[in-house]
Amino acid sequence: MKKNGLLHPELARCIAALGHGDMVVIADAGLPVPPGPQRIDLAVRAGLPGLEDVLAAVLGEMQVESAWLAQETLDRAGGACPGWYTRHLALTPRTLTHEEFKRLTQQARVIVRTGECTPYANVILVAGVTF
């Protein structure tokens, strides 16, 4: 029985299979999921699980080379990176418009839908390597 790390078997399997440069999107409940990427829906109800909890769990299992946020995320937060990103990401995310963000999600390997209901609470994580 797994006692640490991710409990969701589908998400754990996806992260274990990531290659260098593969993208994982952690999204709020409202981000449109394009056809193509695998979809893992973790939402139980509005707000559960929150993006920060899912982000922390994924980052505990995944080596991240870079990250992307929509500029609108920063605009809503008064120009600063929202706390849940600065608390968990060891790097400064790059930004692009929300429309560009949605286009980039089409190239993701997996999109993880949380119960988060905060607009623009989405991040694209690009897998790095551990060596």
Side-chain angles (χ1 to χ4, degrees):
M1 179 188 300
K2 189 168 178 92
K3 295 186 189 247
N4 295 318
L6 291 174
L7 295 176
H8 191 280
E10 192 176 2
L11 182 53
R13 189 171 36 258
C14 285
I15 290 173
L18 290 174
H20 183 232
D22 284 345
M23 292 184 286
V24 173
V25 179
I26 302 175
D28 62 32
L31 185 73
V33 178
Q38 180 177 353
R39 176 188 178 134
I40 298 175
D41 192 346
L42 301 179
V44 175
R45 62 174 169 81
L48 189 62
L51 183 130
E52 185 169 8
D53 290 333
V54 175
L55 179 63
V58 168
L59 290 174
E61 303 284 327
M62 179 182 171
Q63 178 70 34
V64 175
E65 178 175 279
S66 61
W68 293 91
L69 297 176
Q71 180 60 46
E72 290 84 345
T73 305
L74 302 182
D75 295 344
R76 287 185 56 85
C81 194
W84 52 41
Y85 300 117
T86 56
R87 278 190 292 278
H88 300 287
L89 285 173
L91 48 85
T92 302
R94 300 182 213 171
T95 60
L96 62 173
T97 69
H98 189 57
E99 290 305 313
E100 292 169 326
F101 186 96
K102 288 192 296 188
R103 277 193 294 277
L104 192 55
T105 64
Q106 296 172 8
Q107 299 173 34
R109 180 157 187 159
V110 63
I111 298 179
V112 182
R113 183 177 169 267
T114 69
E116 187 67 49
C117 292
T118 304
Y120 306 112
N122 308 298
V123 62
I124 297 172
L125 304 173
V126 181
V129 291
T130 57
F131 52 85

